Amino acid sequence: MSHSTAALTEADRLMTICNSCRYCEGLCAVFPAMEMQRAFSDGDLNHLANLCHGCGACYHDCQFAPPHEFAVNLPQSLARVRSKSYGHYAWPAAARPIFDKHGLALALGCTVFFALFLLGFIAAHAPGVIWSAHLEAGRFYALMPHGAMVAVFGAAFLWMLVAVFMGARAFWKDCGARDLGAGDHLRASHDAARLTYLDGGGMGCFNEDDAPTDRRRMWHHLVFYGFLLCLASTSLATLYHYGFDAKAPYAWWQLPPLLGIAGGIGLVIGCLGLLRAKAARLGALKAQEFRGMEYGFIAILLLTGASGLALRAAGHTPALGSLLALHLGAVLTFFLTLPYGKFVHGLYRYLALARYARDRRHGGGTS
Ligand code: SF4
Ligand code: SF4
């Protein structure tokens, strides 16, 4: 079968070898899913690539890995296909190439740009209180009116939702199956929430020192649940504002700040752990050309979490205006870049797991 990119052609070659060998079938979901297929379309390969967690176990176990002439390096090949899939399905098409190589520079550049822009807005809107707003009740809105915040961030959030939905729809059209049942979603939710297949069949992920560890799963969990707690905090604050007429900022012991602080700590520790895990990762497993996108994704999550915690800790000082601008700049960058970076991997992996659950129920293959 011919494919649209060299990365997909290489993945197809490796799938054909692995499908004959099958030595690794107990390691993760990729191998049993592969065994249900005889031939692989572009969509099938993107599905398999998004099932892979890149733990490296199959590279370590493979008798056909380089320097063998078959040169089987499945984690790297699937990482390449997976990373390309984020751009391939992104919406609108014009935004696709942005994040491949320049993700880190873009994340940091946009955060600084938006933070300076918002600082300028604050200076123009509230020149008299920019260094003293921390003394006022309802101090965030002394710097930036609530209506302006809702307009800017509501529009960015809606854009993000539409773009992510369109990307996921394109992915599903190409890689999915029509007859998903509730049980398939339950199974996929369970496996996604537990990161069931991230541990290389129980050993953990492989690193430079050849000693597998399970820490990567822990860092992923801290980031994922930290993000969900931050989302819960913002949603609850919105309910307080509109439902109970209680305006931010809230006392530290109230639920929105407690959830936000716990989520921010999870994001910061998880992101630092992921950066460390990336540095320790075996070089042969990496798809180096996408490292800008990978680091950009972690950097923007780290900045969002750290600036939110700093705002909480120093919001009663004259630094309030600058910290608010930095935090809002990071959040705005996060919303606008999310559909074009690695963040979508969580959603695509969920969809790949749902198809895997469905294929197992049907005994293999799409229809
Ligand atoms: S990765 Fe290597 S050992 Fe594992 S199934 Fe493929 S060819 Fe066989
Ligand atoms: S999840 Fe691990 S074992 Fe499975 S294909 Fe990916 S790298 Fe190989």
Side-chain angles (χ1 to χ4, degrees):
M1 195 177 287
S2 66
H3 296 286
S4 56
T5 66
L8 288 164
T9 305
E10 170 64 1
D12 193 346
R13 180 184 79 87
L14 300 190
M15 285 292 116
T16 308
I17 296 171
C18 291
N19 226 349
S20 311
C21 167
R22 302 194 172 187
Y23 179 75
C24 298
E25 64 185 358
L27 292 182
C28 67
V30 172
F31 295 94
M34 169 199 76
E35 289 170 15
M36 292 188 240
Q37 306 277 143
R38 295 260 163 80
F40 303 93
S41 66
D42 285 5
D44 293 329
L45 293 167
N46 280 318
H47 159 63
L48 293 170
N50 278 283
L51 271 183
C52 169
H53 283 279
C55 69
C58 59
Y59 179 76
H60 192 263
D61 287 0
C62 185
Q63 60 271 41
F64 303 119
H68 190 280
E69 61 182 319
F70 287 179
V72 173
N73 185 343
L74 198 56
Q76 188 186 58
S77 173
L78 293 184
R80 212 158 258 150
V81 172
R82 191 166 58 247
S83 300
K84 274 185 176 295
S85 74
Y86 310 147
H88 179 72
Y89 297 112
W91 179 92
R96 286 174 185 168
I98 297 175
F99 241 56
D100 278 7
K101 293 189 174 65
H102 311 296
L104 182 58
L106 200 71
L108 297 179
C110 283
T111 301
V112 171
F113 173 79
F114 289 137
L116 289 176
F117 179 82
L118 291 167
L119 206 56
F121 177 90
I122 290 170
H125 167 259
V129 295
I130 189 165
W131 302 115
S132 60
H134 59 291
L135 302 172
E136 300 187 15
R139 49 194 195 253
F140 292 161
Y141 307 129
L143 291 165
M144 188 179 219
H146 183 256
M149 265 198 213
V150 170
V152 172
F153 289 88
F157 187 69
L158 273 181
W159 170 268
M160 182 265 289
L161 285 184
V162 171
V164 166
F165 172 78
M166 295 297 283
R169 196 174 77 138
F171 177 85
W172 190 244
K173 233 170 128 185
D174 210 14
C175 317
R178 274 181 232 113
D179 54 341
L180 278 190
D184 302 328
H185 283 293
L186 274 178
R187 186 71 205 232
S189 303
H190 171 269
D191 289 341
R194 294 197 59 218
L195 295 173
T196 305
Y197 302 107
L198 187 136
D199 63 357
M203 283 180 293
C205 294
F206 283 82
N207 297 313
E208 285 285 13
D209 58 7
D210 230 13
T213 75
D214 204 18
R215 279 189 220 117
R216 208 163 140 245
R217 186 206 297 261
M218 185 172 72
W219 307 135
H220 273 89
H221 274 149
L222 279 170
V223 170
F224 179 62
Y225 291 109
F227 172 73
L228 288 187
L229 285 173
C230 290
L231 199 63
S233 164
T234 309
S235 308
L236 207 58
T238 308
L239 183 70
Y240 275 35
H241 186 96
Y242 290 108
F244 306 112
D245 200 25
K247 307 223 173 355
Y250 306 104
W252 69 266
W253 44 265
Q254 288 183 285
L255 211 44
L258 283 181
L259 291 174
I261 291 168
I265 291 173
L267 274 183
V268 169
I269 297 178
C271 287
L272 291 174
L274 283 178
L275 285 174
R276 193 155 173 252
K278 272 197 186 310
R281 205 153 164 67
L282 197 63
L285 303 179
K286 298 177 187 170
Q288 294 286 6
E289 64 273 37
F290 294 101
R291 65 182 182 278
M293 177 178 68
E294 304 242 341
Y295 282 105
F297 163 65
I298 299 175
I300 193 58
L301 280 174
L302 183 57
L303 260 173
T304 304
S307 60
L309 289 176
L311 187 59
R312 189 72 226 169
H316 57 289
T317 73
L320 170 68
S322 319
L323 288 173
L324 183 66
L326 178 64
H327 184 57
L328 294 182
V331 174
L332 198 54
T333 303
F334 176 67
F335 283 167
L336 292 176
T337 57
L338 185 150
Y340 312 106
K342 203 184 164 181
F343 195 89
V344 294
H345 84 292
L347 185 56
Y348 290 5
R349 178 152 296 135
Y350 172 82
L351 294 173
L353 284 166
R355 172 176 156 185
Y356 176 55
R358 176 264 174 209
D359 285 357
R360 272 193 295 177
R361 187 165 50 82
H362 280 261
T366 50
S367 62

